[in-house]
Amino acid sequence: MKHFLSLKDYSKEEILEIIELGLQIKKETKNKIFKPYLKNVNLGMIFEKSSTRTRVSFETGINQLGGNGLFLSSKDIQLGRGEPIKDTARVISRMVDLIMIRTFGQDRLEEFAKYSKVPVINGLTDKYHPVQLLADYMTMIEFNKQNGVCAYVGDGNNMTHSWMILASKLGLELRIATPDEYKPEADVLDMCEEFSKKSGAKIIYTNDPKVAIKDADVVTTDTWISMGQEEEKEKRIKDFAGYTIDDEMMKLAKDDALFLHCLPAYRGYEVTEEVFEAHADEIFTEAENRLHAQKGLMVWLMN
Ligand code: CP
Ligand code: NVA
């Protein structure tokens, strides 16, 4: 049994295998072929934070695969009233076949997984968002940018960490620009340096967004205020001045550069309305690919 807690536990081959499987099932779905790969599989979906894409893509995905999804908001289950995470894991994993959880600390996810009898999928923690990266790389493949130079500009957060691991596993060049105070965490930087030695990846850190974006094939960003950081909003908006992806910034990238965003996007902060709408096709393909990539992941984990 294998969990999906972070891309760090997966090889390049495994990551590509999951995405290829997702692409194959996407093709079938587009042709209205719904094979019951996961007939009678029950997926428990625990949310300790809000979600639009993760919830809809996992629930629709498991249904299309012939299984069933149970939406479990921590507001409604005893977890939200203080039942220990390890007890919640031991109960739910005796009743369902697969579990997705969105929570706060990575340690909380790891504790849950430790006590679970069934595979656990990370649906976002403060540290990582690996299912999003499966969809992002699937989108890069579809737009023929699979070997492209990537630039991430903004907050050094769960999305940054996940981009770093993906790039360092797959051997890509990724340039990250954040204000000094919002650098990616040191342990992730160190870990990715190790992965890069094997893969030949280049992970470059700078605090200058222009340096990161210059001639990039893929530009990406994320909110400056992640879930749980709402109280820091005012300070963060000040600290991230100069990091907005606007037309001028995009002009520095290649002419046909992709712009990706995991969403939700906050216009006027990490990206302007103009850049967002000019790249809406790729952004919403990326969002749709959550469905397809996660179907690939669920089938892969259950086999
Ligand atoms: N990108 C993403 O995970 O979106 P949700 O928070 O809506 O699930
Ligand atoms: N960094 C964001 C991602 C949302 C999908 C957050 O954690 O809120």
Side-chain angles (χ1 to χ4, degrees), residues 102 124 129 157-159 222-223 225-227 262-264:
R102 168 169 284 197
L124 179 145
H129 195 6
N157 62 13
N158 45 10
M159 280 302 298
D222 183 22
T223 181
I225 301 130
S226 285
M227 290 181 274
C262 67
L263 305 177

Side-chain angles (χ1 to χ4, degrees), residues 1-3 86-99 111-120 302:
M1 179 179 87
K2 191 155 178 167
H3 298 302
K86 60 181 181 180
D87 294 359
T88 306
R90 283 182 283 192
V91 171
I92 296 179
S93 71
R94 279 173 180 248
M95 297 180 185
V96 304
D97 311 289
L98 183 61
I99 298 171
E111 188 177 1
F112 188 98
K114 186 174 150 197
Y115 285 92
S116 172
K117 290 168 91 82
V118 301
V120 174
M302 293 308 286

